[in-house]
Amino acid sequence: MKKSELINFLNQRYNFSNQEEWDNCGVSPQSFCDEEISKVFISLDMNWDAYHKAINQGCNVIISHHPIMIDEQQELINENKKLLINALQNKQVINIALHTCFDRDKFGTSYLVAKTITNSLSIDKMVNLSHNPYLLIIYLTDSMTVKDLIGLLNVKSLRYLNVQTKQIIKTICIGAGSCSGMLEDVIANKIDCFLTGDIKWHGYLDGLDNNVAMIDINHSIERVFIDAIYDLLASNLPELQMVKDSSLIEIINK
């Protein structure tokens, strides 16, 4: 199978143009797209770690959630990332990044995270916000405390305000990745508890002031992307040989 065929399949499924204007989804570098695929490496991030793992396992395609570069203003950081693009070019490897075009999908990251962490919850319904596809609202059948919810979440590390553990909740919003800046939408929809990643201190306090319990579920929760893409390709393109990134980079809170 050619790289271009895989690119077209993923573009049809997630539509690269359906990304945020600051994002960098799609293919990098643009060369070698007509070559045959040897093996596909599926990773959460596209960095030097993923590059070396892919090369060592004979892969010439890397599908990642996060792209190589996002913020073009970070010149010093991006100089290093340009070296990574050159390394891909030299090894005739392409990266296909899906990031926000995957996140914005109805069955994207927030939906997958909800399926992962809500297995023990009694749920009435789950609804995507029509004007904000990154947020998924869960309506519980029965109310519970924040402490009860924390005890049921299958997440390695959590951060939250201890003063809110006894707060009663019946609605939960999931914003996979870094969605704490979307707190205004959460408040407007009268949500009791907001699960997202990379919450800053003022975010916790803004939530507290508006009676929203903020729980940081760590950015690496987005690892659900890896299994989702693997399963999608295995079902639709069974001829592909694929490798999952099994040793993810994550922040550990002790």
Side-chain angles (χ1 to χ4, degrees):
M1 182 177 187
K2 289 187 177 182
K3 297 173 183 177
S4 57
E5 295 176 83
L6 175 58
I7 293 166
N8 290 337
F9 173 81
L10 290 172
N11 191 20
Q12 288 176 8
R13 175 62 186 83
Y14 294 110
N15 192 354
F16 300 161
S17 65
N18 192 31
Q19 62 181 289
E20 297 291 345
E21 61 180 15
W22 46 261
D23 206 0
N24 196 20
C25 299
V27 184
S28 181
Q30 294 290 332
S31 308
F32 319 115
C33 292
D34 287 330
E35 293 185 349
E36 293 290 323
I37 297 172
S38 58
K39 201 181 295 184
V40 177
F41 187 77
I42 306 174
S43 176
L44 181 59
D45 299 295
M46 182 57 241
N47 53 16
W48 284 105
D49 184 66
Y51 168 79
H52 291 303
K53 289 175 184 174
I55 294 300
N56 290 338
Q57 297 185 73
C59 302
N60 64 357
V61 175
I62 303 172
I63 301 175
S64 65
H65 187 216
H66 301 126
I68 298 174
M69 288 195 290
I70 296 178
D71 188 349
E72 298 292 347
Q73 301 302 314
Q74 299 178 13
E75 292 183 9
L76 290 176
I77 294 174
N78 283 341
E79 280 303 314
N80 182 51
K81 294 185 175 183
K82 287 174 184 175
L83 293 176
L84 177 54
I85 294 174
N86 288 335
L88 291 171
Q89 185 93 20
N90 292 336
K91 291 291 185 179
Q92 299 185 7
V93 176
I94 63 167
N95 169 229
I96 308 171
L98 299 178
H99 203 203
T100 53
C101 57
F102 181 88
D103 289 341
R104 292 169 62 89
D105 189 80
K106 181 179 180 180
F107 301 107
T109 314
S110 290
Y111 173 81
L112 294 170
V113 169
K115 285 182 61 179
T116 300
I117 68 178
T118 58
N119 291 334
S120 302
L121 296 178
S122 179
I123 297 173
D124 179 24
K125 61 181 178 179
M126 297 196 300
V127 179
N128 285 98
L129 282 184
S130 58
H131 68 286
N132 187 340
Y134 298 104
L135 301 183
L136 178 71
I137 298 176
I138 298 171
Y139 295 89
L140 302 176
T141 303
D142 302 305
S143 60
M144 64 194 311
T145 66
V146 171
K147 184 177 181 180
D148 291 334
L149 174 62
I150 290 168
L152 294 175
L153 294 178
N154 182 26
V155 181
K156 285 185 178 180
S157 59
L158 297 169
R159 296 195 307 164
Y160 50 89
L161 292 181
N162 63 340
V163 297
Q164 292 182 297
T165 54
K166 294 182 180 180
Q167 183 173 326
I168 303 297
I169 60 174
K170 195 162 183 185
T171 53
I172 300 169
C173 181
I174 296 180
S178 305
C179 293
S180 58
M182 300 176 185
L183 181 58
E184 185 175 341
D185 277 341
V186 174
I187 295 169
N189 283 274
K190 302 185 185 331
I191 303 301
D192 301 319
C193 185
F194 188 21
L195 276 61
T196 187
D198 305 331
I199 300 173
K200 295 182 179 179
W201 179 247
H202 67 78
Y204 288 108
L205 297 185
D206 288 343
L208 181 64
D209 289 342
N210 289 277
N211 207 36
V212 178
M214 305 281 286
I215 301 180
D216 192 322
I217 54 176
N218 204 328
H219 206 106
S220 62
I221 194 77
E222 291 184 330
R223 70 183 66 209
V224 293
F225 168 86
I226 296 174
D227 286 336
I229 294 300
Y230 184 94
D231 292 344
L232 174 71
L233 296 181
S235 297
N236 291 276
L237 304 172
E239 68 273 27
L240 285 179
Q241 293 187 58
M242 296 180 286
V243 180
K244 297 180 186 179
D245 188 354
S246 57
S247 55
L248 299 177
I249 297 171
E250 59 183 331
I251 297 170
I252 303 298
N253 296 317
K254 290 186 177 181

